[in-house]
Amino acid sequence: MDVHIVPGVKAKDVAEAHRLDLLHQQEHGCSCMTYWIDEARENIFCLIEAPDKQAVEEMHSKAHGLIPNKIIEVNGNLVEAFLGRIYDPSDAQISNEGLKVFADSSFRILLVTKTIDPVLLKHQFGHEKAGELLNTHTGIIRKNILQQGGREVEHEGSGFVVSFSSASKAVECALAIRREMPEFISTQIDLKLAVNAGEPVERSEHLFGETIQFASNMCHIAKEGKIAIASSVKELIADDLFQQERKYFMNLLPHDEHLLKLLFSILDENWQDADFDITDYCDATAMSGSQLYRKTIGLTGMPPNSLLKDFRLHKAKELMRKRYYNVAQITFDSGFTSASYFTKCFKKKYGLLPMTYLESLH
């Protein structure tokens, strides 16, 4: 999938460019499947089956000269789950010039939910009770996704990613889940919900990668069972809905969002570097130690050193889920310098030893 940023773009112009792509696709081993255009946001997203990125660029260059701003590799099933189709809309109109013209935006509102890792839940409550908790939680979420017309994109056991075309439907779904989920289940599985909005291709190499990542970060700081709502989503929903249900929402202001993105992007870039410490964190954020401490506590409820350590522990757990590591390798790869210290921190945070977690996984 590629993205073109074209000021003043119109649906008819894109239809003509797509026609030209189709004329040249075979020369470059490509198959132009479909596209999405958003005139208001002045962007176009093309879905193309191609041997590599260079073939896409060369085809576009020869057809009409519109070189993509970015190209990423995508899975067709994921594209369909997020966007609802991988071919042209069946109801697209044919113009007098014989062009198939449509203006179908790829902008989506994503509901992201998080729970405690099922492995940890089973360790805490036993397989039977953990299974009951997760099954009830999953049933309530899937029922409301269906009722609000969402599309389930992902369910990896510790949460869902759900795609909506409508911001109000996404928020209504989150509200219904929060209302219907029994309080004792929400507490025991530590249910978090966040709603964010974005485009399929931005800076990340993954489809809707930035949108999902920021929603996950919002889940990280959501408190008291509130639904974290990005400012871009709040602008799209009726103000009366937000005001009536205010007790359920945690609404981030733009400057809070900027800080949250900054804090976590720096962690994401440096968590594997064992030499990265709070002094480096301050330098990267251009803040003094006291400023960083105050702002991090205010936004996340954690001091910077705890946030860094928790981030490394979370990433260590992700590494363990990908393949069987020994503890020494996990320690090194997650930015810790001592296996005994890593083991101590892991046990304190998750309630079991790293090796026990590994054995439970594999």
Side-chain angles (χ1 to χ4, degrees), residues 270-275 309 312-313 315-317 319-320 323 325-346 354-355 358:
N270 296 283
W271 63 276
Q272 289 185 289
D273 181 0
D275 293 328
K309 183 171 68 179
R312 283 175 166 151
L313 288 170
K315 289 294 188 179
K317 197 153 61 68
L319 289 176
M320 285 188 254
R323 66 183 177 88
Y325 277 72
N326 61 53
V327 173
Q329 189 65 44
I330 298 163
T331 299
F332 175 78
D333 287 352
S334 55
F336 288 88
T337 55
S338 161
S340 60
Y341 180 65
F342 167 72
T343 298
K344 178 183 176 182
C345 292
F346 193 95
M355 188 51 67
L358 273 169

Side-chain angles (χ1 to χ4, degrees), residues 16-243:
E16 172 61 20
H18 184 60
R19 183 187 70 80
L20 295 172
D21 281 332
L22 292 172
L23 291 176
H24 293 280
Q25 61 182 0
Q26 290 185 345
E27 301 168 37
H28 303 278
C30 297
S31 175
C32 299
M33 299 169 71
T34 191
Y35 63 86
W36 291 261
I37 169 179
D38 191 327
E39 293 182 349
R41 296 180 179 88
E42 302 184 319
N43 57 38
I44 311 150
F45 295 85
C46 304
L47 184 64
I48 302 166
E49 190 170 19
D52 51 44
K53 295 179 182 182
Q54 184 180 350
V56 173
E57 290 181 344
E58 290 174 352
M59 180 193 66
H60 280 322
S61 179
K62 187 167 185 179
H64 45 66
L66 290 174
I67 304 300
N69 294 73
K70 186 177 177 68
I71 305 171
I72 66 169
E73 293 183 29
V74 296
N75 176 291
N77 292 330
L78 270 183
V79 173
E80 189 165 14
F82 274 115
L83 297 173
R85 61 181 180 85
I86 56 172
Y87 299 107
D88 291 348
S90 57
D91 59 350
Q93 295 183 350
I94 306 299
S95 72
N96 294 334
E97 296 86 357
L99 293 174
K100 190 185 287 185
V101 180
F102 54 91
D104 186 10
S105 171
S106 62
F107 187 78
R108 292 293 182 269
I109 295 81
L110 303 185
L111 167 61
V112 172
T113 77
K114 296 288 182 183
T115 65
I116 292 175
D117 183 329
V119 172
L120 301 178
L121 204 63
K122 289 171 186 175
H123 177 79
Q124 183 178 354
F125 294 110
H127 281 258
E128 186 176 345
K129 183 177 179 182
E132 290 173 0
L133 291 170
L134 290 173
N135 287 340
T136 302
H137 144 268
T138 299
I140 291 171
I141 288 182
R142 285 191 167 140
K143 183 191 83 169
N144 284 288
I145 291 172
L146 184 64
Q147 288 180 346
Q148 297 298 334
R151 306 182 68 88
E152 181 181 328
V153 177
E154 232 175 63
H155 178 226
E156 295 183 342
S158 58
F160 285 81
V161 175
V162 188
S163 176
F164 292 86
S165 299
S166 160
S168 59
K169 292 287 187 182
V171 173
E172 288 284 8
C173 184
L175 279 168
I177 291 166
R178 179 52 74 194
R179 291 192 194 105
E180 291 181 35
M181 196 72 66
E183 186 63 32
F184 79 94
I185 291 181
S186 292
T187 302
Q188 290 177 331
I189 67 173
D190 194 24
L191 177 63
K192 308 276 191 181
L193 301 103
V195 187
N196 192 20
E199 301 284 6
V201 183
E202 295 181 86
R203 289 186 294 274
S204 171
E205 292 299 316
H206 302 287
L207 198 66
F208 286 98
E210 286 179 71
T211 307
I212 295 169
Q213 186 57 59
F214 187 64
S216 298
N217 293 343
M218 289 197 295
C219 284
H220 187 84
I221 66 168
K223 301 178 182 71
E224 300 171 356
K226 293 196 173 184
I227 303 162
I229 304 287
S231 58
S232 58
V233 176
K234 185 177 181 297
E235 290 172 1
L236 296 171
I237 61 175
D239 194 54
D240 57 346
L241 169 64
F242 188 81
Q243 295 300 331

